[in-house]
Structure formats: C-alpha cells, structure tokens
Amino acid sequence: MFIFLLALLFIPASAHAYLDPGTGTVLLNLIIAGIAAVVYSLKGFFLKLMGKGNEIQQKESFDYKIAILSEGKQYWSTFKSVIEALIEMKIPFKYYTLDVEDPALLIENDFMKSRFLGYGGWAYNKAGRIEEEVLLCTTPNIGTQGYPVKRPDRVKKLIHVLHSVQIVYKSGGLDAYDTVILVNDMQKKAILNNRDQSELKNKDLQILGLPYFDYLKEIKSFKTPVSSDTILIASSWGSKGLLNSYGTDFIKKIVKAGSKVIVRPHPQSRISEPELIKLYKKQLEQYDVIWDETIDPSVSMNEAALLITDTSSIKYDFAFVYEKPVITLNIPLESIKDFDTSNLSASWITEVEKNIGCIIHKGEENDIVNRIKETLSSCDPEYLKRYRENIVANYGGAGKAVAEYLKLCAATDEGGVK
C-alpha cells in the first residue's frame, strides 16, 4: 500500500512533447514506476553496505562542469559513445535521466555520476534546475513555451546533438539552444542559406557527426545475415508518413510479386495514431506481412535487402551503416510544413535520396515492383561507403568528437569556446 501511494506521486504530468518509444498498460506502469523509484532511491544505501561508499565520496570531490540530460533508454544509442569517450578521457560529468530503466544508470565509474530524476512534473522541475555549466541534450523544445522542461538558469552552454541525420523537429524546437551539433557541411550551408532559418543561423553550428551511428556500427556485426528477397517498409508517423500518404495498395503489389515484406510503423504511431495502425493491419491481414513494432529496427534492417521509406531518417541508417539501397516515397512539402526539415528538404536531402537509391512520387507507386528490381540491380555498396564520407562527419568516431567539444566548452569561464 505504501508503494502504491508513493507511486501516485510519480504519475506523469501532461507533456506537450514528442517522446519516441512505446508505453504499456497504465496501471502496470504505475506500480512498476513506484517500485523502481523506491529501489533506485535506496541505491546509495546498498552501495555503502557493499563497501562502495568511498567511491561515491571520490566522485563528489570532482568539479563537475559537464552534464548530459536524457529522456531515457530510447536515447542510449545516442549517448553511449559520448559517455564512453568522456570516461576514457577521464573527464568528470553528471548524467541525468527521466527513465529508471536507462542503461546508463548501471555504469559505475569514478568520472561519471548518474541520477534518476523521477517522473512527471517533479522530474521536469529538477531537470530545469541542473547546475552544470555545459549541458548536452538530444531532446528538442527544451526552454520553449509549453514544454515542461525549462532551460536551466545556471547552464551557460546548452548543446543539442541530433539523434538522426536530418532535423525533423517542430519549427522553433531548438530556439533555446546555444549550440547545434550537425552531421555534415551541407546541413550547415542549408541552414545558413535559408532565409527561414533565422534562429538556427544564430547558433554555434558544430559539424561533429552522429554518435548514434557509432552505436549502429558497433552492433551491426551481431545481427543475422541479409535476405536477398526481403523488403523493409518503414513509415514515419502522422502526415509525414508513407502509410498515411500512400496507403497499403503498393504493399500488396510487393507481396504478390513474391517478396517477403516487413512493415515497420514509427514507434510514435502506437501513441499518436493507434486506430490508423489497426486499420492498416486489417487492410493487410490477408497478405503475408510481418509487422515490426520493436523499438530497435536493427534486426529488420539487417535482414532486408532494400528499404522503402519516406521522411524518416532510417534511410540514412540503412544506406550508410548497412550499405544497402533505399527507395524514398516523396511526401509533399505541405504535409511537413510545420517541421524544420521542410525548409531544408529541397536542398541536400533530395540529393542524398537520389544517391542512395531512387525517389518515387505520388502516382508512380503503381510501378513499385519494377523500381525495386532496378534499384537492387544498380546498387553498389562500395559507392555507398565512399558517398558516406561526404555525408557523415567522423563516422564511427562522433562520440569522441562530441566529448572533446564538451571538454573545450568546460575549459572556458563562460562555458563557451575560446
């Protein structure tokens, strides 16, 4: 009863934000959240009982200037290589998370001090009172009107690192940030040359790469071999998703042609549009289609020979990490006008989509089977590797580059770069 009452204190407040991964049954999560919070709060006590109290005291002696704030375990892939680099470089830092199941909480190292902030409004309030001078996040909207986490007053350098190649945030989502870490030079030029990107132009734009790719590269070799006849169809959510724009008829054509098909809706679809996903499943129930609704798409990406997608950044993962071709179903700009990517998609993004496969526009999907054959026969993995060097800075080493930048920021009095 005590745990249940305590759990009630952690009921999440309404967050006007985009949160990636799925949820379970509300009641079950409530009970688990309460138990997890109690267990985590006792962590220090048990560490002392196990003789690790001295390590905690040693951590407290550091002058912490750097911190990382994560929404939770879904962004472990973004922060993992940065954390490892900071530890290897012996740079003390704090790690704050809104998820008690965040894998980073399991790390015990003298240079890393981790903390679970709790749930709901209580946690958001504590996140807004972080005191370190340099704060790294991958969450958009921090400090913007209506978002529950304000920009911490004592943070002198708020840094955003992307968790995908392209910027697909609501317009203005990065307004409170001082630095935005970009993936390539084309991205920076597109921002500087676009008259609608006035806020981003004023940021410190650092081309350091994508730590998320470090993670994908690391786990790639542990997956199953590729299947030459498997097609992965990955849809984004909402108006920018191919399921909403193109329907399911083209998927039926692919199945009838004899290919194995995996359909992967965006994890956010389960939260934002469950009824639509149920409708699409009903439309395809007579067809041999596999639905992948896991958080991690790496197993499906490894199995597939070709990816069909839309505005989703999974296209870059598939082409540059798995070195396989992509067919992009074009989404009209009016469908994504509220997202920052709409101001950039006419420049470097279209160029990339052509170089990693082909683009299909509305009405051309009826010829999807022939386009698949043509794209598979013309694909050159070695070309994709060479092209990747122009698109992804510090491929496989972005975590170290970001850690070095954080160190440089912390070395100045104002949390800025000399």
Side-chain angles (χ1 to χ4, degrees):
M1 186 62 182
F2 168 73
I3 292 175
F4 179 75
L5 291 174
L6 186 61
L8 291 177
L9 298 176
F10 300 128
I11 297 175
S14 177
H16 305 287
Y18 162 60
L19 300 175
D20 257 339
T23 57
T25 305
V26 174
L27 180 58
L28 180 60
N29 274 355
L30 177 62
I31 296 173
I32 292 174
I35 294 173
V38 171
V39 171
Y40 188 80
S41 67
L42 295 175
K43 177 182 176 182
F45 172 72
F46 284 114
L47 284 176
K48 290 180 181 179
L49 287 181
M50 297 167 64
K52 295 189 176 182
N54 291 335
E55 293 181 7
I56 301 299
Q57 291 178 4
Q58 184 178 354
K59 289 183 184 180
E60 294 291 355
S61 67
F62 287 128
D63 181 16
Y64 294 97
K65 291 188 176 182
I66 297 171
I68 297 173
L69 173 63
S70 174
E71 284 185 60
K73 61 185 177 182
Q74 67 270 31
Y75 295 121
W76 168 242
S77 56
T78 292
F79 293 120
K80 180 177 183 291
S81 63
V82 179
I83 291 171
E84 291 172 344
L86 288 170
I87 291 174
E88 183 179 354
M89 296 163 64
K90 298 183 178 180
I91 300 173
F93 67 100
K94 292 185 181 180
Y95 183 91
Y96 301 99
T97 179
L98 304 178
D99 183 359
V100 75
E101 296 181 357
D102 193 323
L105 292 174
L106 300 177
I107 298 175
E108 291 292 339
N109 187 276
D110 290 345
F111 293 96
M112 177 180 178
K113 183 178 181 182
S114 59
R115 182 182 177 188
F116 167 57
L117 295 180
Y119 293 97
W122 184 28
Y124 301 143
N125 181 264
K126 287 192 288 186
R129 291 187 284 111
I130 290 173
E131 298 183 351
E132 284 67 44
E133 295 179 1
V134 180
L135 180 60
L136 178 72
C137 310
T138 191
T139 304
N141 303 314
I142 286 178
T144 60
Q145 185 176 4
Y147 190 76
V149 179
K150 70 173 186 177
R151 174 183 170 131
D153 293 335
R154 299 191 182 184
V155 169
K156 298 176 180 177
K157 190 82 167 178
L158 185 60
I159 304 170
H160 183 83
V161 58
L162 298 176
H163 50 268
S164 61
V165 170
Q166 66 188 41
I167 301 174
V168 193
Y169 303 145
K170 287 288 187 180
S171 296
L174 300 179
D175 285 358
Y177 280 89
D178 303 299
T179 296
V180 179
I181 295 175
L182 301 177
V183 182
N184 55 52
D185 187 59
M186 288 186 294
Q187 215 171 36
K188 182 175 182 178
K189 289 179 180 178
I191 291 172
L192 295 178
N193 293 334
N194 194 299
R195 57 187 176 87
D196 295 326
Q197 295 290 337
S198 57
E199 286 296 331
L200 283 178
K201 287 179 183 179
N202 297 327
K203 309 299 179 186
D204 178 15
L205 303 176
Q206 294 286 327
I207 304 171
L208 302 178
L210 190 66
Y212 168 63
F213 272 177
D214 299 354
Y215 175 82
L216 284 187
K217 182 181 179 182
E218 179 183 336
I219 68 171
K220 175 186 173 183
S221 60
F222 296 99
K223 303 304 175 184
T224 55
V226 63
S227 173
S228 60
D229 65 343
T230 300
I231 307 299
L232 172 60
I233 300 174
S235 176
S236 190
W237 63 282
S239 61
K240 54 192 174 70
L242 63 84
L243 287 174
N244 284 338
S245 294
Y246 286 80
T248 59
D249 286 347
F250 80 95
I251 300 176
K252 297 174 184 178
K253 292 179 182 293
I254 298 172
V255 175
K256 288 179 180 179
S259 293
K260 177 181 176 181
V261 174
I262 302 173
V263 178
R264 178 179 171 81
H266 193 284
Q268 184 67 19
S269 293
R270 289 183 295 174
I271 301 171
S272 300
E273 48 189 5
E275 292 304 316
L276 281 176
I277 298 302
K278 186 184 298 185
L279 173 64
Y280 300 138
K281 286 183 176 181
K282 184 173 180 59
Q283 292 174 352
L284 293 171
E285 64 183 357
Q286 302 300 321
Y287 295 82
D288 189 13
V289 170
I290 298 171
W291 288 85
D292 176 9
E293 296 183 274
T294 62
I295 292 177
D296 183 359
S298 58
V299 173
S300 293
M301 285 196 291
N302 195 76
E303 182 178 351
L306 179 140
L307 169 70
I308 298 175
T309 190
D310 42 47
T311 59
S312 174
S313 273
I314 195 174
K315 64 169 71 78
Y316 308 106
D317 307 351
F318 196 79
F320 297 142
V321 179
Y322 291 86
E323 297 156 5
K324 292 179 288 190
V326 178
I327 292 178
T328 301
L329 300 189
N330 181 65
I331 305 298
L333 286 179
E334 55 267 23
S335 298
I336 52 176
K337 62 183 179 180
D338 293 330
F339 294 83
D340 280 334
T341 186
S342 64
N343 294 324
L344 305 177
S345 58
S347 53
W348 70 273
I349 294 177
T350 301
E351 177 189 332
V352 174
E353 290 172 348
K354 292 178 180 178
N355 277 278
I356 63 178
C358 72
I359 302 174
I360 290 180
H361 294 84
K362 196 75 172 177
E364 298 175 345
E365 70 272 17
N366 294 327
D367 194 36
I368 189 69
V369 174
N370 288 330
R371 300 296 289 271
I372 289 173
K373 292 177 181 178
E374 293 170 0
T375 304
L376 283 172
S377 63
S378 62
C379 176
D380 180 5
E382 293 302 317
Y383 171 78
L384 289 176
K385 291 179 185 178
R386 294 192 301 270
Y387 186 60
R388 179 179 63 203
E389 300 305 313
N390 298 322
I391 303 300
V392 184
N394 297 312
Y395 178 71
K400 182 178 180 181
V402 172
E404 289 174 344
Y405 177 72
L406 294 175
K407 179 183 178 181
L408 183 62
C409 290
T412 66
D413 292 335
E414 296 300 324
V417 179
K418 294 179 180 178

